[in-house]
Amino acid sequence: MKDSTKYVIERILFILLTAFIVLSVTYILLQCMPLEPNATNFTEEFRFWQQQVTLGFYYEIDTSTPEGLEAIANHEYEQMVTINSQNYYFAPYPILVRYWKWLVNVVTKWDWGRSTSVALNQSAISIIVMRLPASMKLNIISIIISVPLGLGLGIWAALKKNTWIDSLISTIIMIFISVPSFVLISFLLLGFGKIPGFPIRWPSQANAAADPLLAFEAYIIPVLSLSFGSICSFARYTRAELCEVMSSEFLLLARTKGLTKGQSVVRHALRNSLVPIVPMIISQFISILSGSMVLEQIYGIPGIGSLFVTALTGKDYPVIMVDMAIYTLIGLFATLIVDLSYSIVDPRIRMGAKK
Amino acid sequence: MENEKKNTDFESAQDFEFVQQDASIHDQKFETKPTTYFKDAMKRFVKNRSSVVAGCILFVLIAMAIIVPVANKNDIDNPVAAARYLPPKWFDGDTGGFMDGTGYVEKAILDPSTNNLPSGSFYKSYAVIGDIESTQSYSDTWDESVRNYGKNGAIRLGNGSSENEVGIFESEESGLLSPVVQLALADSSVSYEVTFYPESYADNHVEGTEIASYIGWVFEASEETPDETEALAEESTDTPSEDTPEEGGEEIPEDPAEELTIVPLMDPLSLTDETTSMEVENVVGILQEGGYLDGASEQVSGRFAIVYDAPVDAAASANSLYIQSVQARGTTSSVGAASFSNATQAYASLNAGGYSRLNEISSTGIYHSEVTYGAFRYDYYEAAFGDVAGQEFTKNDIDTYVSHGWIESLSCRGRVGGEIALFSLSNGDTAIDWSKAPMTSTSVTLVLTAEGDTYCPLRSIQTLRAINLGGDVGTSVSVYGTQSLYRLLYEQDKIGSCKMPKYFFGTDRNGKDFFKLVFSGLLTSLGLGLLSSAINIVIGLIWGAISGYFGGWVDMLMERFCEILGGMPFIVMMTLIVLLLGSNFWTFLLALCLTGWMGVAAETRRQFYRYKRREYVLASRTLGASDTRLIFKHILPNGIGPIITGAILMIPSVIFTEANISYLLPSALAFSGSQSFGITLSNVQGDLQNYPYLIVSASIVMALIMICFNLFGNGLRDAFNPALKGADE
C-alpha cells in the first residue's frame, strides 16, 4: 500500500513537472508572435492594451519624458493607439519577464490572459469555462451509449467466433475504425439531411429552448459520430480479450467442473477480460473529450474543440494557450488514470514495481 | 492449424520407415534451401487472403496516385469554368441517369411566353433531354432569370442587420425610399398607400415578436432651406423614428448631410394577421400641420419612405414586411411615378432609378415572384462540352484550322451565280480565298479532313457573310457555325483527350476534374506518409537502439525526455510549428516527425531488451564483437519485424492525421503548391448537401486506402509475429 501511494505521488509530481515544462515552452513560443487584437474601434483596442499593461505584459511609453519621446522616434514600440487625437504607445516587456508575470498571474489570480479575437477583452479562462459544458455533455452521452454497445458486440462476436456473425461484426468494426471521423460525419449529415426539418447544424440556444424535439434531434448526429469510433474500438478489444481468455485452461477447468457455458463466460471469462478493458474505457472517454474537434467544427457545436479551431484561425493566442493547457493536462492525467486503474481492476498488477 | 490436418492419411507401412536410417549426414550439405526470417514471414503472409487482397488494392491505389496525376492531362490549374459541378460520368450511353452525366433539373425558370428555356438561362436548351414540363410557381430567390421573367410578388423588407461593437443589435431604420416626388403645396389630394402581400404576415411571422411599420417623408437634401433645418431640429425631439446618433457616434466622422431625417406621416402601425395595407391621405396637409413646410414656396420635393420600425430585439425576431404594391396619387405626375404594382419589376430597378434602400443596412429581397418553372432531364456534359450551333468564328480561326490541315474544302452558294469554291485541298489551295466570298451565303458546304473530323472545333457553317470585300480583301467576314466545345477545349489544352470527357468523380465548384484532384492529393499525402515514416524509422531505430542496448541511466534519461516531449498533444505541437514556421509541406513533415519517432523508438527499445540478454548475443560478445556489430548484425535483424510493421501502419495514420488537420484548418495548413488529400476533402465539404457525389467519391477512396493499409499492416504483423495473430483484428 505504501509503495503504491508513493508511486502515485511520484507520478503526479512528474506529470505536474511535465505539464509545467510543456506549458512554459508553449507559452514562450506563442509569445514570439505579436498580439493582434481584432478590435472594431479604437476604444476597444485601447482597452485591450490597457489591460495588457495591467496584467503586466506591456508598458505604456510615457510621452512626457524625453526618453519616451526618443523611444517613440526610434519606433521602439509595438502598438500605437489614437484616442481623441492623442497617441498612446505601448511596448512589450521582454519575453521572459512576460512569462514570469504570466506565471504569477496564473498562480495567484488564476488569470490566463485576455482573448484577442474570439471575444475581445474577455478573460480567456472564462471563455473556455463557458465552452466546456457542451463538449462534456456530448462526450458523456456518447460514452454511456458506446460502452454497453461496444462490450455487447464484442462479447457477441467472441462467443460466435469464426461464424458469419463474427466475421460480419469484425468487418464492420474494421471499416468504421479505418474511416476518418469527418467522412463518417459527412455521410451522417448526408443521410439525416434527407429528413425534412432535421438539424444539420447545432441549433442556437434560443431555437433549442423553443423546440425540445429539435434540441433532442440535434444530439443524434454528434452522438452517433462520436460513438461509432468508440463502439468499434471497445468491440474489437473486447472480442480479442475474450477470445484469449476463452481459450485459456482455467475456463476449460471451469467447464469440466460442470459450469454451463453461460456461467463460465459470465463469472470467469468476462471478469478476466475486463482487466485491460476498463482502463481502455477511461482512456477512450478522455480521448473523445479532446478528439471531437472535427465534429464540433463541422456541426458547429460551441465546445472547446471548435473554440480551438476558431482561436487558431483568429490567431487568438491567449485562448489557444488555455485550450492547449487543457489538452495537455487531459492527455497527461489520462495516462496516469489508466495506469492506476490497472491495479484497481486487477490487484495483482503493481504499477511501478521493481522487476 | 491447417498444417495439423495434413499428413494424417497414412497409406502403407512404408510411410513409417526412417528416411535416413544408418546414414551419416553430418558432413553433407543441406538439400533443402534454408529459409530466412523474411521468407518465412512471406509464406505466412501469403496465406492470409484478406491481407493479400488488401495489399493488391493498395498497390493499385498507390499506382493510381502516381499515374493519374501524370497521365490525366485535364487542366486542374486553370479549369473550365463552364464545367463546374458536373456529375460523375462513367458510361457513354444513356443509363437513365446513373453515372451517365445527366441529371434531373426541377427548377429552371422558363420564359413564360414560349414555355422554353430563355437564352440567358444557366441551362442550355441543346442539352435538354426529352420534354420540359412547366409549372407555375413562386420564387423567393433573386437572380437574373427572376429579374427577366418573374412578375408581381412582393418586396421583402427585413430589419437591418448591423451590430454595434459589443455585438448588440442596433435598430437603425431600414426601409424603402421612393423616387423623388414633387408636392404642390396646394394639392390636398396626395395620398400614399402601401399594400402588403396577402397572408405574408401570417405565413412568416415569428411567434411572440412584434412588427410595425409607418410611412414617412424625407425632404430632398439639396432643397435644404434654413426653415427646413429648423423644422428638422424641432422634429427630432418628438419623433419616435429618430435614430440615436449619440451612441458611440462621436469618433465616427460622418457627414451630417448624409443623415436622413424621416418625417413620419402616420403613427407606426403594428401589423396583425388582418393588416392588408397602410395608407396616408393629404400628405401635404400633414406636413403643413407639422410645420415642416413653413416658408416653402409652391413646391417641395422629397421622397416617400416605407419604414420598418424595428423593435429593440429585431435581430432575434428576423421579421420582414412584404410589400406587394404601392399606390401614390396626386396631381403632379412625379407622384404617380412613385407607385408600383409589379413588385418584381420594382425590385429589379431598386437603387437604379426606381425605389432605393433607406439605409445601407436595409435588407431587401424578393418574395413570391411569379415564375414558370421547368422540369426536365439535362445532360450536363452535353451542355459543357457538346456542339453548339450559331457560334461566331473569326476569319483567323478558320484560317488556323486550314493551316492545321483540318479542312478539306469549303464552298458556298451565293445569291447569284452557282457554287463558289473558297478552298479545296485537292485544288492545291493553301489558304481560303476570302475575296471570292459572296455577300450573303446560307448554303455552305464544309468538308473536314479525317484528322479535322477528330480535332476541328468547327463542325459546320450555317451562314457566311462577307461585307466590303472587293478592294480591301477580307476586312469583314462573319461566319456562324456549329462549334464543338470539347474540341475547342482540347485545342486550348483544357482537357486531356479530344473526346467527350468522362469525369469519374465529376467536377468541383471550379470545374476541376475531381478524379485527378483526389489522386493528386493522395500522392501528396502518401508522400508525406512515406517520408515521415522513413524519417521516423531512422530516428526511432537509433534512439531506441541506444536506449535499449545501453540501458541504465542512459535509458532512464532518454525515457524521461520522451515522456516530456510525448506529453505534448500532437495538435499543440502542430499548431506551434505552423504558427512559428508558416504552413507548407515541410513544416507539416517536421511536426509529424517531431513526436512520430517515439513509437518506433519504444518498439525498438522493447526488442532490444528482449534480445540483448540472449545467449547468442553473449556468445558473439565473448568472441569480441563491437557494440555496433552487436546492434546491427545480431539484435536488430531479429527484432526488425514488428518495427517494420509499425512503420507501415504509420503511413495510414499519417494520412489520417493529415486529412483531419487539413480538414479542420484548411486556412492554416494549405500547402503551398501541392494539394493534399485532406484539403481536397475539406474544399468540397460545403457542397455536401447539393453535390454529394464529390465528398462521397473522395471519402470512398479515403476509406478504401485506410482499410487496405490496416488489413495489410495487420497481415504483416501476423506474419512477422504469429504469436500475436488475431490479437486485434
Side-chain angles (χ1 to χ4, degrees):
Chain A
M1 188 61 213
K2 211 180 150 211
D3 259 8
S4 66
T5 324
K6 199 179 147 211
Y7 172 71
V8 172
I9 292 170
E10 259 178 25
R11 281 296 301 263
I12 291 179
L13 284 180
F14 183 73
I15 281 175
L16 289 180
L17 177 72
T18 314
F20 177 73
I21 294 174
V22 170
L23 291 184
S24 300
V25 170
T26 315
Y27 184 81
I28 290 172
L29 287 178
L30 278 180
Q31 284 301 310
C32 298
M33 259 87 58
L35 284 176
E36 294 162 13
N38 181 22
T40 46
N41 62 26
F42 288 120
T43 332
E44 286 279 320
E45 200 177 343
F46 185 60
R47 227 181 99 213
F48 176 81
W49 292 112
Q50 272 187 324
Q51 277 190 341
Q52 297 299 311
V53 172
T54 338
L55 291 174
F57 303 139
Y58 277 65
Y59 61 93
E60 198 187 326
I61 297 176
D62 191 355
T63 43
S64 58
T65 60
E67 293 88 4
L69 288 173
E70 194 184 334
I72 290 163
N74 294 338
H75 290 280
E76 286 168 3
Y77 59 89
E78 194 184 292
Q79 201 64 38
M80 186 188 85
V81 186
T82 314
I83 286 237
N84 297 338
S85 63
Q86 192 180 345
N87 293 342
Y88 296 90
Y89 299 89
F90 297 95
Y93 286 109
I95 287 184
L96 284 179
V97 176
R98 276 182 277 164
Y99 168 63
W100 173 247
K101 291 270 173 58
W102 177 76
L103 269 188
V104 171
N105 281 343
V106 169
V107 173
T108 58
K109 290 183 279 186
W110 196 241
D111 190 333
W112 290 68
R114 295 288 183 276
S115 161
T116 64
S117 77
V118 174
L120 187 67
N121 282 338
Q122 274 191 31
S123 148
I125 194 88
S126 73
I127 295 175
I128 302 269
V129 168
M130 237 163 55
R131 297 274 200 135
L132 256 176
S135 297
M136 296 286 274
K137 218 193 268 175
L138 265 182
N139 288 306
I140 289 173
I141 293 176
S142 74
I143 209 86
I144 288 173
I145 290 175
S146 52
V147 167
L149 272 178
L151 293 190
L153 276 179
I155 293 168
W156 194 24
L159 293 182
K160 302 276 178 192
K161 199 181 169 193
N162 293 334
T163 63
W164 66 271
I165 295 175
D166 176 38
S167 24
L168 181 74
I169 293 177
S170 298
T171 316
I172 292 174
I173 290 173
M174 186 73 222
I175 290 171
F176 276 112
I177 281 187
S178 304
V179 173
S181 59
F182 60 84
V183 171
L184 191 62
I185 298 169
S186 302
F187 279 100
L188 281 176
L189 284 176
L190 208 58
F192 281 107
K194 299 266 183 280
I195 303 170
F198 198 88
I200 52 166
R201 260 195 95 72
W202 190 254
S204 71
Q205 236 163 8
N207 287 352
D211 188 353
L213 181 68
L214 184 80
F216 171 74
E217 282 176 342
Y219 274 96
I220 292 180
I221 292 179
V223 167
L224 277 184
S225 56
L226 281 182
S227 307
F228 270 132
S230 33
I231 288 176
C232 286
S233 32
F234 288 149
R236 169 174 159 164
Y237 216 75
T238 313
R239 179 188 171 275
E241 278 304 321
L242 202 55
C243 282
E244 202 180 310
V245 176
M246 295 274 278
S247 59
S248 59
E249 278 94 358
F250 74 84
L251 214 70
L252 191 66
L253 179 70
R255 292 298 299 279
T256 49
K257 282 170 109 181
L259 271 74
T260 61
K261 192 172 183 191
Q263 282 172 326
S264 67
V265 168
V266 173
R267 291 186 199 165
H268 296 277
L270 212 51
R271 278 196 188 181
N272 276 290
S273 66
L274 275 183
V275 174
I277 293 172
V278 169
M280 163 136 187
I281 294 173
I282 296 169
S283 69
Q284 192 72 27
F285 175 64
I286 290 161
S287 80
I288 57 177
L289 184 64
S290 59
S292 53
M293 219 182 261
V294 176
L295 169 80
E296 288 185 9
Q297 184 64 14
I298 298 179
Y299 203 65
I301 300 166
I304 52 168
S306 57
L307 175 70
F308 188 76
V309 178
T310 328
L312 201 59
T313 11
K315 302 200 169 161
D316 193 335
Y317 302 121
V319 172
I320 294 178
M321 185 66 219
V322 189
D323 225 348
M324 281 183 173
I326 288 186
Y327 284 137
T328 313
L329 286 176
I330 284 176
L332 288 172
F333 276 98
T335 48
L336 173 72
I337 293 172
V338 169
D339 279 359
L340 294 184
S341 63
Y342 272 116
S343 54
I344 294 168
V345 178
D346 187 352
R348 286 170 303 181
I349 299 176
R350 292 258 179 279
M351 290 310 288
K354 300 270 181 308
K355 276 163 222 164
Chain B
M1 304 209 179
E2 287 156 17
N3 292 341
E4 289 168 18
K5 288 179 196 161
K6 287 180 190 168
N7 304 335
T8 47
D9 43 341
F10 319 114
E11 288 200 341
S12 64
Q14 280 178 347
D15 288 332
F16 293 94
E17 277 180 14
F18 291 108
V19 178
Q20 290 160 334
Q21 199 170 22
D22 303 328
S24 72
I25 51 168
H26 61 272
D27 51 354
Q28 282 177 11
K29 273 194 168 178
F30 285 122
E31 280 174 17
T32 50
K33 278 188 196 153
T35 176
T36 64
Y37 180 60
F38 283 100
K39 270 188 194 156
D40 201 32
M42 190 64 203
K43 229 188 225 164
R44 276 195 293 265
F45 179 77
V46 172
K47 276 188 192 148
N48 190 340
R49 260 179 302 151
S50 65
S51 295
V52 173
V53 172
C56 292
I57 299 176
L58 201 59
F59 179 77
V60 171
L61 282 174
I62 293 174
M64 275 170 90
I66 295 167
I67 294 168
V68 168
V70 183
N72 182 331
K73 292 278 197 308
N74 293 335
D75 193 345
I76 55 168
D77 296 324
N78 300 301
V80 193
R84 59 203 290 270
Y85 290 133
L86 294 181
K89 179 170 181 173
W90 292 56
F91 309 109
D92 277 326
D94 187 346
T95 57
F98 176 73
M99 298 287 199
D100 60 354
T102 66
Y104 196 69
V105 177
E106 279 175 354
K107 282 195 157 188
I109 291 174
L110 301 181
D111 184 344
S113 56
T114 59
N115 261 2
N116 238 325
L117 284 167
S119 59
S121 172
F122 167 78
Y123 298 101
K124 310 278 183 279
S125 47
Y126 58 83
V128 172
I129 305 171
D131 298 327
I132 300 178
E133 286 172 41
S134 64
T135 44
Q136 296 291 326
S137 188
Y138 299 119
S139 168
D140 290 343
T141 50
W142 183 247
D143 57 31
E144 200 58 33
S145 4
V146 176
R147 173 195 290 271
N148 294 335
Y149 301 104
K151 60 176 196 279
N152 301 333
I155 296 180
R156 186 182 60 76
L157 178 61
N159 50 266
S161 54
S162 79
E163 287 179 358
N164 65 11
E165 300 84 19
V166 268
I168 293 168
F169 177 78
E170 277 190 333
S171 56
E172 220 179 321
E173 258 98 17
S174 74
L176 289 180
L177 281 180
S178 76
V180 177
V181 295
Q182 311 288 333
L183 295 185
L185 292 192
D187 186 1
S188 64
S189 68
V190 178
S191 69
Y192 191 79
E193 183 182 6
V194 176
T195 311
F196 296 113
Y197 196 81
E199 309 289 321
S200 62
Y201 179 84
D203 290 347
N204 297 288
H205 181 238
V206 179
E207 283 295 313
T209 56
E210 275 186 29
I211 174 168
S213 174
Y214 64 90
I215 298 169
W217 175 261
V218 177
F219 284 100
E220 201 44 13
S222 58
E223 288 267 314
E224 234 171 88
T225 60
D227 301 331
E228 200 184 301
T229 40
E230 206 175 276
L232 291 177
E234 189 184 300
E235 165 268 342
S236 67
T237 53
D238 56 25
T239 49
S241 67
E242 182 50 45
D243 193 26
T244 50
E246 293 87 11
E247 239 184 58
E250 66 266 287
E251 297 133 34
I252 308 160
E254 227 176 51
D255 191 0
E258 286 187 6
E259 291 272 313
L260 291 171
T261 312
I262 304 158
V263 179
L265 297 173
M266 57 184 285
D267 290 333
L269 173 77
S270 262
L271 269 66
T272 62
D273 282 353
E274 282 84 40
T275 319
T276 56
S277 64
M278 59 180 180
E279 184 178 10
V280 281
E281 278 168 358
N282 193 7
V283 173
V284 180
I286 297 172
L287 286 172
Q288 266 164 345
E289 226 167 87
Y292 298 110
L293 299 180
D294 296 353
S297 49
E298 280 173 21
Q299 279 194 335
V300 284
S301 64
R303 296 157 185 268
F304 288 106
I306 307 165
V307 184
Y308 178 104
D309 192 27
V312 182
D313 61 341
S317 70
N319 275 319
S320 297
L321 292 177
Y322 299 91
I323 302 152
Q324 187 184 28
S325 64
V326 167
Q327 190 68 42
R329 293 185 207 87
T331 46
T332 48
S333 63
S334 61
V335 176
S339 315
F340 66 81
S341 56
N342 184 341
T344 305
Q345 217 168 47
Y347 188 72
S349 60
L350 201 67
N351 285 354
Y355 270 71
S356 55
R357 288 189 295 171
L358 176 61
N359 269 318
E360 274 310 301
I361 56 153
S362 305
S363 69
T364 49
I366 194 73
Y367 179 72
H368 279 199
S369 177
E370 291 165 21
V371 290
T372 311
Y373 279 124
F376 46 86
R377 257 191 81 204
Y378 189 69
D379 189 338
Y380 289 93
Y381 280 74
E382 188 66 31
F385 302 112
D387 295 349
V388 203
Q391 296 290 299
E392 186 173 3
F393 290 85
T394 66
K395 198 157 64 69
N396 282 346
D397 285 340
I398 300 172
D399 284 340
T400 315
Y401 303 149
V402 168
S403 69
H404 284 357
W406 289 343
I407 294 176
E408 179 84 46
S409 71
L410 177 63
S411 60
C412 54
R413 191 177 288 275
R415 192 162 290 168
V416 281
E419 188 86 9
I420 308 162
L422 296 180
F423 176 80
S424 176
L425 267 184
S426 52
N427 288 358
D429 290 349
T430 51
I432 292 178
D433 189 358
W434 291 110
S435 62
K436 285 187 197 159
M439 293 290 270
T440 305
S441 171
T442 46
S443 166
V444 189
T445 316
L446 173 77
V447 181
L448 299 174
T449 60
E451 198 197 350
D453 204 35
T454 318
Y455 295 111
C456 186
L458 174 69
R459 307 308 296 168
S460 67
I461 297 178
Q462 278 101 45
T463 63
L464 191 153
R465 193 173 292 132
I467 307 156
N468 287 340
L469 288 171
D472 192 5
V473 169
T475 42
S476 174
V477 174
S478 71
V479 178
Y480 286 91
T482 303
Q483 188 172 38
S484 164
L485 291 178
Y486 72 79
R487 292 188 176 91
L488 183 73
L489 291 169
Y490 178 70
E491 208 192 349
Q492 295 166 354
D493 280 339
K494 296 280 190 197
I495 55 174
S497 61
C498 192
K499 50 177 191 252
M500 191 68 118
K502 261 194 275 184
Y503 294 143
F504 292 139
F505 293 175
T507 57
D508 72 352
R509 75 175 78 100
N510 299 315
K512 293 179 183 178
D513 180 359
F514 200 60
F515 185 73
K516 185 175 180 181
L517 219 52
V518 162
F519 282 99
S520 312
L522 192 59
L523 186 63
T524 315
S525 295
L526 275 175
L528 197 68
L530 277 176
L531 215 56
S532 68
S533 35
I535 295 173
N536 285 339
I537 288 177
V538 173
I539 301 176
L541 269 184
I542 295 172
W543 187 279
I546 295 172
S547 173
Y549 183 78
F550 293 104
W553 63 269
V554 177
D555 183 32
M556 208 269 293
L557 275 185
M558 289 171 100
E559 274 294 278
R560 291 294 91 80
F561 179 81
C562 278
E563 266 175 48
I564 290 177
L565 194 58
M568 209 171 201
F570 176 73
I571 184 91
V572 174
M573 178 91 61
M574 180 79 228
T575 314
L576 278 178
I577 288 175
V578 168
L579 284 178
L580 285 173
L581 301 175
S583 68
N584 56 46
F585 186 88
W586 303 109
T587 48
F588 208 105
L589 188 65
L590 179 69
L592 285 171
C593 294
L594 219 51
T595 49
W597 54 268
M598 281 178 196
V600 182
E603 184 62 47
T604 317
R605 179 171 167 272
R606 208 159 27 236
Q607 295 297 329
F608 267 77
Y609 265 101
R610 190 169 145 202
Y611 289 108
K612 72 172 178 182
R613 296 264 176 266
R614 291 282 172 94
E615 285 78 4
Y616 73 93
V617 179
L618 186 65
S620 61
R621 196 196 300 279
T622 46
L623 287 174
S626 66
D627 284 344
T628 326
R629 192 179 164 79
L630 282 177
I631 290 175
F632 290 108
K633 283 275 170 189
H634 295 286
I635 304 179
L636 204 52
N638 276 303
I640 199 78
I643 299 171
I644 289 180
T645 318
I648 284 181
L649 283 175
M650 199 186 285
I651 300 175
S653 81
V654 165
I655 297 178
F656 206 93
T657 315
E658 188 276 328
N660 261 327
I661 296 226
S662 328
Y663 193 75
L664 269 180
L665 301 161
S667 54
L669 284 169
F671 294 166
S672 45
S674 52
Q675 177 133 17
S676 79
F677 201 87
I679 293 172
T680 309
L681 264 167
S682 87
N683 280 347
V684 296
Q685 168 70 15
D687 302 321
L688 177 66
Q689 293 300 332
N690 295 327
Y691 307 96
Y693 55 86
L694 291 172
I695 204 131
V696 167
S697 49
S699 300
I700 287 174
V701 172
M702 179 84 190
L704 203 59
I705 205 146
M706 300 305 296
I707 292 171
C708 289
F709 255 121
N710 280 340
L711 279 177
F712 182 73
N714 287 350
L716 270 191
R717 184 202 52 207
D718 295 346
F720 278 123
N721 192 351
L724 276 179
K725 188 166 169 125
D728 52 0
E729 59 193 10

